[in-house]
Amino acid sequence: MFITFEGIDGCGKSTQLSRFAKTLKETGISLVVTKEPGGTEIGQAIREILLHVDNNHIVPLAELFLYEADRAQHVSEVIKPALEAGKWVVCDRYFDATTVYQGMVLGQHEELIELLNNEASLGCQPDITFLLDCPAEIGLERIEKRYNNDKKKDRFERKTLNFHIKIRYAYLALANKHKDRFKIIDSTLPEDQVARKIREIISPYLPEKG
Ligand code: TYD
């Protein structure tokens, strides 16, 4: 199984992903937990370039290629070998993030993105994508609470409310287009309830006990 988590910044994705991974490990599933950008050593260097606040002048095409370069390395080094070995892979963001951020919101050519996503993912399609959905105001509030000042926020977290609103609706539109794969979870609910909903969705896929 290949499971991805998506959502706007501050949607609670990281918290839920680590709770989810813990639940899966408890069931004895052999699991790889990873993320984009930055799921490999090369990817970490790419992530540094992408998220650094000094790199605001990066041109959109260079940004797109870096996300895809990160993905190409990540899929071939981590995701594909793990899936081929029969492991479960849980990934914090994947190609839907590029479709939404670089494509639907930042305006890069849809066909180019589809082509690059296909090439970089080497046929590894998520079986389930959890979209943790919350209003952009709530996401930004959570980011504010996480950091006491502007210094530690990355390049995307510093973007405006309007940007985050667009990202939210782009994700919802994409989820609507791929209803079979996307599971939209209301992440304004208390943390335990969100975790329970995710568990309920995954439970039919878990191996039988005993
Ligand atoms: P993320 O790792 O989720 O941030 P954090 O670890 O701070 O929670 O994602 C980093 C940023 O990169 C996020 O704002 C979304 C952006 N992003 C894209 O624009 N395109 C992509 O393809 C991916 C994977 C992420």
Side-chain angles (χ1 to χ4, degrees), residues 82-173:
L83 292 173
E84 282 174 354
K87 294 180 183 166
W88 284 42
V89 174
V90 178
C91 190
D92 190 342
R93 296 195 191 280
Y94 192 52
F95 57 26
D96 297 310
T98 309
T99 304
V100 164
Y101 279 80
Q102 281 66 50
M104 296 163 86
V105 173
L106 295 171
Q108 288 297 296
H109 213 277
E110 197 183 319
E111 279 149 36
L112 174 63
I113 292 191
E114 209 178 306
L115 179 73
L116 293 173
N117 276 346
N118 281 339
E119 288 293 319
S121 60
L122 301 175
C124 297
Q125 296 267 348
D127 299 295
I128 296 178
T129 298
F130 289 108
L131 173 58
L132 298 194
D133 177 57
C134 73
E137 290 84 349
I138 294 182
L140 282 184
E141 227 171 78
R142 286 184 184 151
I143 293 172
E144 287 304 325
K145 277 191 198 145
R146 208 185 299 162
Y147 307 108
N148 295 324
N149 57 55
D150 260 359
K151 284 206 183 99
K152 288 180 227 140
K153 283 188 206 159
D154 70 37
R155 214 161 55 74
F156 283 88
E157 290 168 341
R158 286 181 180 213
K159 289 194 186 267
T160 61
L161 174 62
N162 197 29
F163 174 80
H164 289 96
I165 291 173
K166 284 188 195 155
I167 296 288
R168 181 194 182 198
Y169 287 107
Y171 265 125
L172 287 171

Side-chain angles (χ1 to χ4, degrees), residues 46 49-50 57-69 102 108:
I46 297 174
I49 299 171
L50 280 166
H57 61 293
I58 190 166
V59 297
L61 203 55
E63 180 179 287
L64 170 62
F65 288 162
L66 285 175
Y67 279 112
E68 296 293 357
Q102 281 66 50
Q108 288 297 296

